[in-house]
Amino acid sequence: MRKQEFLQALRRALTGDVPPGVVEENIRYYDGYIAEEVRRGRTEEEVIREIGDPRLIARTIEDTTDGAGDSRFRSGGAYEYDQSGPWGQGEDEYRQDPLRMDVPFHVFRLDKWYWKLLLALIVVGVIYLVITIIGGLFSLIAPFIGPLLVIWLLVSIFRKNGKW
């Protein structure tokens, strides 16, 4: 495998799974590394054989990059959501590449108005529940508070007067 083939395979394996800046950073790194080793007298094929499969390297980069592999970086903006994968049209991509070890799972994203509304309703419901429980406890204790306050008041009056 030649250097350009290696770099193209690495770019294809990384594009869409990591931020574009990470793709370019790694392409520049491996391009420079191979060029430096060739200047030292080794052949491109020898260096690339030593580096390994570009898909395995891409998988390692994805595993060590925060937020990588969740299809946010496909075609367009850095945070555009892509419906490819086990639930969308790009499902064949998962079947064709045996090195992809993704286990399909759903990520809950709260970027839609109805999810934000649902979250707000849940928070309000929890607050209401807590206030209701505290209010219920006070309603259970309330009948005893009056007599206890009277007893406490009488005890404090008698102690001040020195009769006890």
Side-chain angles (χ1 to χ4, degrees):
M1 179 182 289
R2 303 289 300 180
K3 179 169 97 170
Q4 288 308 318
E5 294 170 334
F6 175 86
L7 295 175
Q8 286 173 353
L10 182 60
R11 184 181 300 277
R12 273 193 314 271
L14 287 174
T15 300
D17 293 326
V18 296
V22 173
V23 174
E24 293 308 315
E25 177 184 341
N26 282 284
I27 295 298
R28 279 192 308 271
Y29 170 80
Y30 283 103
D31 186 24
Y33 177 80
I34 293 168
E36 180 64 29
E37 292 297 313
V38 168
R39 265 182 266 158
R40 291 183 180 171
R42 298 174 67 192
T43 65
E44 282 183 1
E45 291 83 6
E46 191 178 22
V47 175
I48 292 169
R49 196 175 321 111
E50 179 183 280
I51 293 173
D53 188 340
R55 293 178 299 173
L56 290 175
I57 293 169
R59 183 65 184 171
T60 303
I61 293 168
E62 288 173 22
D63 289 343
T64 58
T65 302
D66 290 338
D70 61 2
S71 302
R72 291 185 306 170
F73 307 105
R74 294 192 191 273
S75 68
Y79 293 99
E80 181 178 335
Y81 185 71
D82 184 3
Q83 294 295 329
S84 67
W87 304 283
Q89 299 84 358
E91 191 170 39
D92 290 339
E93 174 185 337
Y94 284 84
R95 290 190 193 127
Q96 290 174 356
D97 189 353
L99 296 175
R100 286 193 81 118
M101 301 173 80
D102 301 286
V103 176
F105 65 94
H106 185 74
V107 176
F108 291 100
R109 296 169 47 112
L110 301 177
D111 58 349
K112 303 281 189 214
W113 69 269
Y114 48 84
W115 289 117
K116 291 177 184 175
L117 177 64
L118 180 63
L119 181 65
L121 289 175
I122 290 172
V123 169
V124 168
V126 168
I127 292 172
Y128 176 77
L129 184 64
V130 168
I131 290 173
T132 303
I133 291 172
I134 292 173
L137 291 174
F138 278 130
S139 69
L140 288 174
I141 297 172
F144 301 106
I145 291 178
L148 287 176
L149 284 175
V150 170
I151 293 171
W152 175 74
L153 182 61
L154 290 174
V155 168
S156 63
I157 290 174
F158 285 122
R159 280 197 178 163
K160 283 189 179 179
N161 291 335
K163 295 190 177 185
W164 280 9

